[in-house]
Amino acid sequence: MGPCPHGAQRSPVIDPALLRRYDAPVPRYTSYPTARHFQNAVTESVFRASIASSNEDLIPSDLSLYVHLPFCRRPCFYCGCTRIVTRDASRASRYLEQLHQEIALQGAEIDRDRVVRQLHLGGGTPTYFTDAELASLMDAIRKAFTLDEGVDREFGIEVDPRTLDTARLHHLLSLGFNRVSFGIQDLDFKVQQAINRVQDPRYTLTLVEQAQGLGFASVNVDLLYGLPGQSPECFMATVEAILGIRPGRIALYGYAHLPQQFRYQRQIPASSLPDAEARIRLFLGAYERFMAAGYHPIGLDHFAREGDRLLDALQDGSLQRNFQGYSTHAGLDSLAVGISAISRIGTLYAQNTKDEEDYLTSLRAGHLPIRVGYHLNPDDVIRADVIERIMCHEELDGNAVEKRHRICFPEYFASSLERLEELERDELVERSGNRVVLRPLGKILRRIVAARFDAYLQPENPDGHYSRMI
Ligand code: SF4
């Protein structure tokens, strides 16, 4: 389904009862297998060897670089990120110093003719740091790597409107960022109080508008449904306010309440959360408004309007999924720095320590702080490809999978295809020969479709570690 010439998208008729039936915990598939399967056999020397070998590839791939800046001044209660809540600037400076060291160490491993096409600063709150600190971080990155300085580069930064003003937006542009992503979640004051993230709606919306006017190639806003005290009426007011300023991209995430895993979530009483029915209404209400306003759904949880590169990437087949969500450059090796950051070089995942002290000590001793990871086996490679296509695109072409991996698609995936039959009956997918097409409900529930190809997950025995589908 391409964009409607008149702007508005046809909204599919979604049966809430079916949504409810498939509302099980499933991975978000930012990687396959998921990080739960990482093992400690992947060490610094394995990682270095993998980079060295990728430099020797006939055509070494270009790069994506992720920089994790975990510091925040106060905790948002819903947050599930790896982050450090502190107002101690010297603690953050110590981290930054070792981050520079890690950037230099990784850069020394990579051939300089491999270009960083995609750069993402995430957190935490990257704008926790001062303009001078961000400038010196970008200098360190430019010193260690060859950066794409052309218009096709995708250099993004996550920003917290509470740490931003117009001058800072100009500064980010001058550092080379051409994408900016605003954490908004909900503009309603009571909801903001309940999640410990109070930000002035008018100020926030003005900053987003300014960013669009200043020349960022893409401006994204993050919204979150399923928050404490969030009613469909108040959330729709947020949705309408956002549509009023028409950002290029909107990410709509569902809040996953996992208080056993995330300490601050224990501040949110389960009784204050919308129930399953209300969550579905929140999601569908926003989804339908975005469609009616001319936004196109992208993958799992993004919406883009015409002119945004994410929509172009969906249409030209270059959309890809990685640890940061969706991006527009396919086939890049991913390097990542900072605590908990995950790199992927060819068939190797390598993850840094999640512990701040371990991170600092390791780098002071001149070592990359790799602690766990995973080597994809040949079956993982095939399934990762299939799952990424389902997570990004609107159909899976089994013939193309056969050609890429030299397998017989129906034989190789016999049990997965058998498990798809239920989804066919419920009109999530349609099969014709080796093609699996996602129907409107299947696009919303694409994690369920992808899970049918996951060799590690039995959909009959959902794993409560993952977030629920809706
Ligand atoms: S949501 Fe963002 S700003 Fe809030 S605590 Fe988490 S990382 Fe920090």
Side-chain angles (χ1 to χ4, degrees):
M1 182 168 60
C4 166
H6 306 295
Q9 298 281 318
R10 264 180 305 121
S11 177
V13 179
I14 307 291
D15 177 0
L18 266 183
L19 276 186
R20 210 173 308 127
R21 230 179 72 216
Y22 285 105
D23 188 17
V26 231
R28 297 179 59 77
Y29 292 117
T30 48
S31 71
Y32 178 83
T34 64
R36 295 201 71 200
H37 298 280
F38 288 4
Q39 301 148 356
N40 53 18
V42 175
T43 58
E44 177 190 7
S45 58
V46 171
F47 180 57
R48 285 182 189 269
S50 169
I51 295 181
S53 144
S54 70
N55 285 334
E56 299 303 318
D57 285 347
L58 196 56
I59 306 175
S61 73
D62 282 336
L63 301 167
S64 150
L65 177 64
Y66 174 71
V67 182
H68 193 64
L69 297 166
F71 293 91
C72 301
R73 287 193 208 293
R74 55 185 79 78
C76 307
F77 291 157
Y78 60 83
C79 178
C81 303
T82 302
R83 46 98 166 96
I84 297 164
V85 179
T86 180
R87 286 164 190 260
D88 177 358
S90 65
R91 185 173 171 187
S93 298
R94 278 198 299 279
Y95 178 86
L96 211 49
E97 199 180 314
Q98 296 314 316
L99 188 70
H100 282 220
Q101 160 82 341
E102 189 186 13
I103 289 166
L105 287 175
Q106 282 205 13
E109 301 290 324
I110 284 279
D111 279 356
R112 284 306 289 242
D113 55 1
R114 301 177 70 180
V115 178
V116 175
R117 305 272 176 212
Q118 186 180 62
L119 170 70
H120 189 86
L121 269 56
T125 309
T127 46
Y128 178 102
F129 292 96
T130 64
D131 284 352
E133 285 170 324
L134 288 175
S136 109
L137 177 62
M138 285 303 288
D139 282 347
I141 292 171
R142 285 200 164 87
K143 212 163 137 198
F145 297 96
T146 305
L147 298 198
D148 182 352
E149 305 288 358
V151 286
D152 284 341
R153 74 188 190 280
E154 189 180 315
F155 290 0
I157 181 165
E158 294 167 12
V159 297
D160 180 337
R162 296 169 298 176
T163 59
L164 207 65
D165 58 20
T166 314
R168 292 210 87 183
L169 281 172
H170 280 286
H171 183 64
L172 295 176
L173 268 178
S174 75
L175 294 181
F177 293 102
N178 60 354
R179 289 164 198 272
V180 64
S181 177
F182 285 83
I184 292 186
Q185 325 313 346
D186 193 312
L187 294 170
D188 183 85
F189 181 66
K190 284 210 178 86
V191 175
Q192 291 186 354
Q193 274 184 315
I195 59 176
N196 199 35
R197 187 187 174 113
V198 175
Q199 55 193 44
D200 181 337
R202 207 162 350 143
Y203 184 72
T204 302
L205 294 172
T206 303
L207 278 177
V208 177
E209 277 189 300
Q210 282 184 348
Q212 300 194 101
L214 285 178
F216 284 96
S218 168
V219 175
N220 174 79
V221 305
D222 285 351
L223 299 181
L224 202 53
Y225 70 88
L227 291 174
Q230 201 177 42
S231 66
E233 295 70 34
C234 84
F235 191 54
M236 286 314 288
T238 293
V239 166
E240 292 303 336
I242 296 299
L243 287 176
I245 53 170
R246 292 192 70 71
R249 272 179 216 181
I250 302 167
L252 175 67
Y253 301 115
Y255 167 57
H257 191 58
L258 301 167
Q260 299 314 317
Q261 281 178 51
F262 306 113
R263 170 165 78 92
Y264 283 110
Q265 291 191 357
R266 293 175 209 156
Q267 304 292 324
I268 299 179
S271 59
S272 68
L273 294 170
D275 63 18
E277 297 292 318
R279 278 178 72 94
I280 288 172
R281 285 213 308 282
L282 288 164
F283 170 77
L284 282 182
Y287 182 93
E288 282 166 7
R289 274 302 289 131
F290 295 150
M291 299 283 278
Y295 282 76
H296 198 292
I298 310 279
L300 185 60
D301 40 28
H302 280 62
F303 298 82
R305 64 169 164 73
E306 234 170 311
D308 191 279
R309 179 75 189 97
L310 210 57
L311 182 53
D312 299 340
L314 174 73
Q315 288 165 345
D316 70 20
S318 62
L319 188 70
Q320 71 149 14
R321 187 145 175 86
N322 61 20
F323 288 104
Q324 286 77 59
Y326 288 98
S327 75
T328 59
H329 287 275
L332 302 178
D333 275 341
S334 309
L335 292 171
V337 290
I339 57 167
S340 77
I342 304 175
S343 300
R344 180 179 170 170
I345 303 292
T347 55
L348 181 84
Y349 289 117
Q351 181 169 29
N352 278 353
T353 177
K354 295 180 183 176
D355 182 89
E356 184 189 6
E357 272 319 304
D358 185 23
Y359 178 79
L360 300 177
T361 312
S362 184
L363 282 158
R364 280 184 195 123
H367 290 291
L368 290 171
I370 304 290
R371 292 292 173 271
V372 291
Y374 189 88
H375 255 301
L376 275 78
N377 64 40
D379 178 62
D380 294 328
V381 171
I382 297 170
R383 288 176 190 274
D385 176 26
V386 164
I387 286 174
E388 187 178 26
R389 273 168 207 267
I390 294 169
M391 294 304 291
C392 291
H393 299 289
E394 304 189 347
E395 69 170 61
L396 172 68
D397 179 355
N399 294 328
V401 176
E402 288 193 338
K403 278 196 197 126
R404 281 197 298 276
H405 300 287
R406 297 165 194 269
I407 55 164
C408 170
F409 183 75
E411 271 177 30
Y412 196 91
F413 286 111
S415 72
S416 298
L417 294 172
E418 202 180 304
R419 287 192 281 159
L420 273 189
E421 283 169 13
E422 181 197 6
L423 308 191
E424 270 184 275
R425 282 194 298 276
D426 286 337
E427 301 189 348
L428 272 70
V429 298
E430 192 176 297
R431 271 191 67 201
S432 124
N434 279 348
R435 280 178 72 224
V436 179
V437 178
L438 272 68
R439 304 195 64 182
L441 184 60
K443 289 180 202 167
I444 293 175
L445 298 177
R446 59 179 75 226
R447 288 159 75 186
I448 297 284
V449 182
R452 298 300 199 256
F453 292 86
D454 183 337
Y456 298 88
L457 189 76
Q458 297 305 317
E460 302 76 22
N461 299 308
D463 185 335
H465 178 89
Y466 300 114
S467 59
R468 298 190 75 82
M469 191 49 241
I470 296 293

